[in-house]
Amino acid sequence: AQSVTQPDIHITVSEGASLELRCNYSYGATPYLFWYVQSPGQGLQLLLKYFSGDTLVQGIKGFEAEFKRSQSSFNLRKPSVHWSDAAEYFCAVAGAGRGSTLGRLYFGRGTQLTVWP
Amino acid sequence: KAGVTQTPRYLIKTRGQQVTLSCSPISGHRSVSWYQQTPGQGLQFLFEYFSETQRNKGNFPGRFSGRQFSNSRSEMNVSTLELGDSALYLCASSSGTVSSGANVLTFGAGSRLTVL
């Protein structure tokens, strides 16, 4: 069964500190992996995605993520957090976009990030 | 390039009523997906439409339905509203084809439905 686990419900970091948000997935086929961010009252914004190739992917706003197949993980990182990064972060897994995978992303429950000044 | 537009942004209904939500995808995108977001269940897939055809459907009761028009705009309808239908309903669009990233979804800001 397809699923995504984000073990940390809430993380607090100081501004300027590094950040790592954890994501583990379960997917029967080759996964497509995503990180989205959601600010209060807003929709989801795509930070980055992994389909294939280089396992370290760069995204917007200085975020990066590393795909580790052996650990079924896709952790999100940022070397120096800014106060504006405070938001909720969602990891998602999907198929290639055929048949029953069309339009369907499986999301984790999210990690709420608080940034202290 | 305009993003995904959802209307209305906020609405309040009472139990037993029905509601229709609208979604205009990014220009050129032919696929529209709908998601329900609640604190209890998180983000759950409702259905996906492409070229006016429902191609995929999540595990929701028949009270939840949708359609897509020839200009790719989509609507979803919830009939006989229940308290548990209170949620943020998110629409997302994509190219809809594997060659150009069928599941790379761009989301709208959502429609916040409150059922009293």
Side-chain angles (χ1 to χ4, degrees):
Chain A
Q2 302 87 345
S3 68
V4 175
T5 301
Q6 293 181 246
D8 304 304
I9 296 174
H10 194 181
I11 282 183
T12 300
V13 299
S14 298
E15 191 170 18
S18 63
L19 173 69
E20 183 169 27
L21 302 182
R22 296 182 292 165
C23 172
N24 292 97
Y25 69 90
S26 173
Y27 197 78
T30 301
Y32 286 8
L33 294 158
F34 307 84
W35 276 99
Y36 283 87
V37 61
Q38 186 177 36
S39 297
Q42 298 299 313
L44 301 170
Q45 181 183 23
L46 179 65
L47 286 175
L48 47 77
K49 60 184 183 293
Y50 172 79
F51 287 174
S52 64
D54 192 347
T55 56
L56 185 64
V57 294
Q58 303 296 319
I60 62 171
K61 303 184 180 187
F63 286 93
E64 66 179 26
E66 186 171 14
F67 171 59
K68 293 185 178 180
R69 185 184 299 276
S70 62
Q71 298 177 20
S72 297
S73 69
F74 188 56
N75 294 349
L76 182 71
R77 300 194 294 248
K78 187 169 185 178
S80 178
V81 171
H82 188 262
W83 64 266
S84 61
D85 293 325
E88 191 158 21
Y89 292 79
F90 293 91
C91 179
V93 65
R98 296 183 178 89
S100 64
T101 73
L102 288 162
R104 183 195 297 247
L105 271 61
Y106 295 88
F107 285 89
R109 297 306 299 270
T111 297
Q112 182 68 47
L113 174 66
T114 297
V115 180
W116 283 21
Chain B
K1 195 174 188 182
V4 177
T5 304
Q6 293 188 244
T7 57
R9 289 293 312 278
Y10 302 92
L11 64 166
I12 300 173
K13 295 286 187 178
T14 57
R15 281 180 297 173
Q17 288 186 311
Q18 73 165 12
V19 66
T20 299
L21 309 177
S22 179
C23 174
S24 294
I26 289 173
S27 178
H29 281 187
R30 297 169 62 190
S31 168
V32 173
S33 301
W34 288 89
Y35 286 78
Q36 182 196 64
Q37 185 177 24
T38 61
Q41 299 297 318
L43 283 149
Q44 294 186 288
F45 172 75
L46 282 156
F47 27 65
E48 187 262 1
Y49 286 86
F50 180 86
S51 292
E52 302 179 66
T53 300
Q54 185 183 88
R55 296 193 299 184
N56 202 3
K57 186 176 186 302
N59 189 26
F60 277 81
R63 299 185 297 106
F64 292 82
S65 63
R67 59 177 176 169
Q68 186 180 35
F69 302 95
S70 59
N71 62 357
S72 294
R73 190 177 70 86
S74 177
E75 290 180 347
M76 68 163 282
N77 184 274
V78 187
S79 63
T80 318
L81 284 166
E82 301 176 0
L83 295 179
D85 297 332
S86 294
L88 181 66
Y89 290 89
L90 292 165
C91 163
S93 74
S94 75
S95 67
T97 61
V98 174
S99 61
S100 56
N103 279 342
V104 181
L105 305 185
T106 301
F107 284 83
S111 292
R112 171 75 63 184
L113 171 64
T114 300
V115 182
L116 302 177

